[in-house]
Amino acid sequence: MQRGTDPEPWACSITDDGTRISSVVWMHRWGLNTYLYGPKDDLKHRLLWREVYSTEEEAQLKALISEAEMRGLKFVYALSPGQDIVFSSSSDLTLLKRKLRQVAELGCQAFAVLFDDIDHSMCQADIEAFSSFAHAQVSVANEIFRFLGEPPVFLFCPTEYCGSLCSPSVSKSPYLLTVGEDLLPGISVIWTGSKVISRELSADSLLEVQSVLQRSPLVWDNLHANDYDSRRVFLGPFKGRPPGLRAHLRGLLLNPNCEFEANYIPLHTLGTWNQAGKGERKGENRGEARSQGHLYCSNQALSAALKDWMDELSQPLQPGRQIKPAEHKSSTASSKVKPTDSFDSHHGPQSKSPCSARALPLCSAQAKKALDGTDSGAAPLQSEDRARGAPSRENVPGKGLCAGKAPLSEAQVRLLVGLYYLPHEHGPPAQSLLQDLTWLRGNCHYVSVNGNGKKTQPQKVEEWRMRAAHFLATCDEVAALHGSVVNSVNRALLYDLYPYIWDLRNTVLVAKAFISWLGCGASSGAELLGLEAEPWVFKGGLSGEVQMLLPVGTSTELFCHPPPLFPTSRVYNIRPYQQKDKVIHVQSYDSAGCHPDFVGDRYLGASLALCPEYTFVLEDELGVCGCAVGILDVRNFAKRYQASWLPALRDKYLTRPPHGANGHSASKVLLSLHEEQEYPDSLLYHFPSQLRLEALPELVDCSVSRSLLTSLLTALKANGSQGVFCEVQPTDRLRLEFLTKLGFLEILRGESRSTEGLVLGRLL
């Protein structure tokens, strides 16, 4: 096992002894024998490689070396000086020797010098001193190897460390040929395969590398490395490497996930693969190997690892893998995940993370004033249960922040692994989810408002309904898995995997709303084609692929955002508006004797009456807790408003005025209804659609407000909208910040219009 790309060195952190010891125990238990230390988060490993370790750091590193040696593991210390070393500088060479001598004096007997992911160019001094870039690297490596007394384990990582980086090819690369000819034979060369992340490793490809390097390569396997994508984690088995490859290898190092808890199955199955390879090297035929259990099968290895992992997940482990004392009462503070600010470093380099911007949705207690302000209009939609005075969210048992602790079921663990399988391959549940979504989207014309499938192909309509039901059920399973992870007795698992399952839960929430909306026949049957590519091309893994299958999938800012500080197991659902939904007006008569329905009629009534297909409802266990209302074509809507909606209101408010209201107050009501905003053609040309978003201020998971808005934008985009706008009061800073983070920009100010509101818009 290696730690080469981990942005957070879980296996060597002095402040995380439980995790460090667990990693060594796992490796020893499963027959692994080497631990390579090379975390890029250790500044003195790469960026500050010239600096020696302090006394405190020495003690920490020595403890790690001793722990590994005590467990029978070879500890390999790796250093990456390639970014700024001057190969011809005697001073740099002296500093390099000083650094490695310091580590050697701590008890380390194995070393690695890494020149991966660096520029091929050399400074003028190096150009004059060496015939090539490879010659410069080999000269330094050879001298360090001799300086350390030619240790039995000394690794060299070339700059061309995989087939795709070799120019013009592996067999004809001048760089690799120089390495093979000039590097001392006692030095092993690191190789990742045909790609940086190789789907498979074959004996033929390794033989080719072996002939060029004049030695068997040592594979640095990135199969489970996830530092390149902050939305991906890989829980699947070690796969695509036949055990017989051992005969062509100097060794194999697995570069695991950044999150420690995600590596149980990868390391467990690697140990199984290693034992199977030993059986083949003993000369067993396939029949003997199978009878002795030495023939490696990734599915069987996965089943065995899952069985053992279930026992591990039933342990009440806290972050850092500390056993929680039985008498210690759980608290909200002890069960929280990392603060939002730390999630960028938690998942990888910030330059690779799309989640660096923090959103501030309109759902906190501080947002209550903004939501209840005059610009918000009517109160949110509410269900009959909520209208009858159902219990408040705070009193729902088992649904609070991280409430309750229970182990995951075997079915849920299998689902979890299937959703986060391998970089080039999805597990069965993820495959099914993507296949259903792709088919449903591609065949939505059978149930669209303009479609005639019901008359000519009823079997297709029925097939669409059945597959939609299956897809929605899978979405519900993902939501239930999210809640179970939050409530898991193993808090270490929650700490490491929650950001991933939370991200998928939110993306699937939008996809479920989209399919439900298509099933209502609201789609016009417009072309809904997406990007064609292999499943693993899109960044974001399963979440990213589901996102790209949605009409607004290219708008990353709608989907990628940091998880909340405090996880909640509450189950949310987003669905199209239904006639059974009720509008509850909390505003009563004002001093002018205004009708109690007036606020709802003024702000939401027209949209619900004239274009209800663009209203989405957010609900939890207690009922409706938010809504997003849209208008596809504002111009057309304005005409219908004048032609049908206003006459209906005139009849309502003039013929049946509220008790105690005179004709003057009723006239004021109608006059205010006529004060609908007129928007310039220049605005509507680019932003023909309009939206409103309402959410209850006591929402626990703020991200659902974003998902709710994204669901509406998805529907508008699907039916041809190219842009959407909304009005916000200048004093409503929370709403302004929320929309800005979703890509909305200010278009019109109050001084250019008859009202003081701002108009924000974004293209779709």
Side-chain angles (χ1 to χ4, degrees):
M1 183 182 75
Q2 70 199 43
R3 294 306 317 157
T5 53
D6 188 358
E8 184 163 332
W10 46 259
C12 54
S13 172
I14 59 163
T15 60
D16 201 359
D17 290 338
T19 296
R20 173 176 58 81
I21 294 174
S22 294
S23 66
V24 174
V25 170
W26 282 0
M27 295 173 65
H28 174 72
R29 180 191 305 167
W30 299 322
L32 307 177
N33 61 11
T34 303
Y35 176 89
L36 185 145
Y37 173 87
K40 293 179 181 177
D41 195 54
D42 179 355
L43 296 180
K44 294 182 180 180
H45 156 75
R46 192 176 184 93
L47 184 62
L48 305 178
W49 63 269
R50 295 177 178 87
E51 297 186 12
V52 296
Y53 290 106
S54 65
T55 303
E56 182 182 1
E57 291 168 335
E58 277 188 332
Q60 299 161 7
L61 193 55
K62 183 176 182 179
L64 179 57
I65 295 171
S66 300
E67 186 71 41
E69 296 291 343
M70 184 181 67
R71 300 281 180 175
L73 302 179
K74 177 68 67 176
F75 182 91
V76 182
Y77 177 82
L79 201 62
S80 298
Q83 284 188 328
D84 60 356
I85 187 175
V86 178
F87 296 97
S88 58
S89 169
S90 59
S91 175
D92 270 1
L93 198 56
T94 299
L95 292 175
L96 184 58
K97 292 177 180 178
R98 182 184 68 166
K99 181 66 166 286
L100 295 177
R101 181 173 60 244
Q102 180 191 28
V103 178
E105 291 173 351
L106 299 178
C108 182
Q109 302 175 7
F111 301 89
V113 178
L114 313 180
F115 294 110
D116 58 313
D117 302 332
I118 60 174
D119 191 358
H120 281 70
S121 62
M122 295 189 294
C123 66
Q124 187 60 37
D126 287 344
I127 293 175
E128 296 174 357
F130 302 105
S131 59
S132 68
F133 190 52
H135 182 210
Q137 293 181 353
V138 167
S139 297
V140 170
N142 286 341
E143 182 164 349
I144 295 299
F145 179 61
R146 295 191 185 99
F147 168 76
L148 293 172
E150 300 188 5
V153 177
F154 189 91
L155 314 181
F156 171 85
C157 182
T159 304
E160 295 183 5
Y161 56 81
C162 67
S164 62
L165 295 179
C166 295
S167 178
S169 65
V170 173
S171 60
K172 297 180 180 180
S173 166
Y175 175 92
L176 285 187
L177 289 170
T178 299
V179 171
E181 292 173 359
D182 296 344
L183 195 67
L184 291 175
I187 301 177
S188 299
V189 180
I190 290 172
W191 185 254
T192 67
S194 60
K195 305 287 185 181
V196 177
I197 305 171
S198 299
R199 179 167 189 162
E200 295 180 345
L201 296 176
S202 67
D204 291 341
S205 65
L206 294 177
L207 286 173
E208 181 184 22
V209 177
Q210 181 179 345
S211 66
V212 175
L213 297 178
Q214 302 181 29
R215 71 203 75 199
S216 297
L218 184 144
V219 168
W220 174 301
D221 202 331
N222 289 316
L223 182 64
H224 291 89
N226 70 332
D227 66 311
Y228 57 90
D229 192 338
S230 63
R231 300 176 73 187
R232 305 190 74 177
V233 66
F234 306 113
L235 308 179
F238 190 71
K239 187 177 182 182
R241 289 93 172 107
L245 293 180
R246 289 174 56 102
H248 308 289
L249 298 177
R250 173 67 177 84
L252 185 143
L253 299 171
L254 179 65
N255 193 10
N257 294 279
C258 296
E259 295 75 21
F260 176 80
E261 298 299 330
N263 293 306
Y264 190 94
I265 290 176
L267 294 180
H268 191 293
T269 54
L270 174 63
T272 304
W273 177 88
N274 185 40
Q275 294 299 322
K278 289 180 179 179
E280 291 193 12
R281 292 188 68 180
K282 291 178 181 178
E284 298 174 348
N285 59 38
R286 293 181 64 86
E288 292 173 341
R290 183 179 291 105
S291 65
Q292 297 296 324
H294 291 156
L295 186 62
Y296 182 76
C297 172
S298 60
N299 289 335
Q300 293 178 2
L302 173 60
S303 296
L306 279 171
K307 181 180 179 181
D308 291 345
W309 199 27
M310 289 295 299
D311 295 335
E312 189 86 6
L313 294 178
S314 65
Q315 301 298 317
L317 297 177
Q318 295 296 300
R321 304 192 62 77
Q322 301 299 317
I323 296 292
K324 183 177 180 180
E327 68 275 7
H328 182 70
K329 295 183 179 179
S330 62
S331 66
T332 301
S334 66
S335 60
K336 66 182 180 181
V337 300
K338 278 190 174 182
T340 307
D341 289 341
S342 68
F343 276 105
D344 292 335
S345 61
H346 185 57
H347 288 300
Q350 292 186 8
S351 60
K352 298 180 183 179
S353 174
C355 303
S356 58
R358 180 187 296 183
L360 184 58
L362 296 174
C363 57
S364 64
Q366 291 80 1
K368 187 176 189 302
K369 181 177 180 181
L371 287 173
D372 292 341
T374 56
D375 64 299
S376 299
L381 296 176
Q382 299 189 26
S383 67
E384 293 184 12
D385 290 341
R386 192 185 300 282
R388 286 194 293 265
S392 65
R393 288 176 175 74
E394 292 78 2
N395 297 325
V396 178
K399 297 298 180 180
L401 300 177
C402 299
K405 305 292 185 293
L408 274 67
S409 68
E410 181 179 351
Q412 288 178 323
V413 175
R414 288 186 176 275
L415 175 61
L416 181 66
V417 174
L419 295 174
Y420 302 97
Y421 201 62
L422 291 172
H424 303 287
E425 178 183 0
H426 288 305
Q431 292 179 18
S432 175
L433 188 77
L434 290 172
Q435 289 170 359
D436 282 342
L437 179 57
T438 302
W439 189 92
L440 290 167
R441 196 188 68 153
N443 293 275
C444 67
H445 55 278
Y446 290 117
V447 293
S448 69
V449 67
N450 295 331
N452 56 2
K454 294 182 179 180
K455 297 180 181 179
T456 59
Q457 293 182 294
Q459 69 279 7
K460 284 292 184 181
V461 176
E462 181 62 23
E463 181 182 3
W464 197 97
R465 301 291 183 194
M466 291 181 62
R467 295 194 69 158
H470 182 265
F471 176 80
L472 298 182
T474 304
C475 293
D476 290 339
E477 291 177 359
V478 173
L481 175 63
H482 169 269
S484 296
V485 169
V486 172
N487 285 330
S488 172
V489 66
N490 190 312
R491 313 311 284 166
L493 178 76
L494 169 66
Y495 184 84
D496 278 354
L497 297 188
Y498 177 73
Y500 297 101
I501 186 63
W502 174 86
D503 175 46
L504 180 60
R505 189 283 306 262
N506 283 354
T507 305
V508 167
L509 195 62
V510 177
K512 180 184 178 184
F514 177 57
I515 294 302
S516 298
W517 177 78
L518 290 178
C520 295
S523 169
S524 62
E527 193 173 16
L528 295 174
L529 297 179
L531 302 177
E532 295 294 336
E534 294 290 348
W536 55 86
V537 170
F538 300 124
K539 288 184 70 67
L542 178 59
S543 295
E545 291 177 46
V546 171
Q547 170 188 326
M548 293 303 295
L549 287 172
L550 300 174
V552 294
T554 56
S555 300
T556 304
E557 68 277 4
L558 297 176
F559 295 90
C560 297
H561 43 288
L565 181 62
F566 297 101
T568 172
S569 59
R570 182 155 296 140
V571 177
Y572 292 98
N573 182 43
I574 299 174
R575 59 171 174 79
Y577 167 80
Q578 301 172 358
Q579 290 300 323
K580 67 178 182 179
D581 294 317
K582 299 177 63 178
V583 178
I584 307 299
H585 308 305
V586 298
Q587 283 189 264
S588 59
Y589 296 86
D590 62 12
S591 58
C594 212
H595 194 286
D597 291 347
F598 169 69
V599 176
D601 288 340
R602 173 75 168 83
Y603 290 97
L604 295 179
S607 298
L608 297 180
L610 302 179
C611 52
E613 65 273 20
Y614 298 107
T615 296
F616 285 84
V617 169
L618 172 67
E619 58 187 0
D620 59 11
E621 295 95 331
L622 295 179
V624 177
C625 52
C627 69
V629 181
I631 300 172
L632 179 65
D633 186 342
V634 173
R635 283 197 185 97
N636 181 267
F637 177 85
K639 294 177 182 178
R640 296 173 62 196
Y641 183 91
Q642 294 290 335
S644 60
W645 181 246
L646 273 182
L649 293 189
R650 184 181 299 110
D651 177 69
K652 177 177 182 178
Y653 289 113
L654 286 183
T655 61
R656 295 192 299 272
H659 178 72
N662 52 36
H664 176 69
S665 61
S667 298
K668 286 180 60 179
V669 169
L670 285 178
L671 181 61
S672 64
L673 291 172
H674 279 281
E675 292 175 354
E676 288 300 307
Q677 296 299 318
E678 294 185 3
Y679 302 101
D681 291 339
S682 59
L683 169 67
L684 299 181
Y685 179 80
H686 295 286
F687 308 95
S689 304
Q690 187 178 13
L691 66 82
R692 297 184 58 82
L693 176 67
E694 308 295 341
L696 289 182
E698 65 265 25
L699 281 179
V700 177
D701 188 346
C702 301
S703 65
V704 294
S705 296
R706 185 188 297 251
S707 299
L708 176 62
L709 181 61
T710 303
S711 299
L712 173 57
L713 297 181
T714 299
L716 294 173
K717 173 71 172 180
N719 275 355
S721 176
Q722 63 180 11
V724 62
F725 72 92
C726 62
E727 290 191 74
V728 183
Q729 292 300 312
T731 56
D732 194 346
R733 295 183 179 180
L734 287 174
R735 192 178 295 264
L736 285 171
E737 183 178 358
F738 173 71
L739 293 171
T740 300
K741 290 184 182 296
L742 294 181
F744 283 81
L745 300 175
E746 182 180 326
I747 301 174
L748 298 176
R749 275 195 169 270
E751 54 264 24
S752 62
R753 302 167 56 248
S754 59
T755 66
E756 298 180 356
L758 302 179
V759 174
L760 304 182
R762 64 157 290 157
L763 297 176
L764 297 178

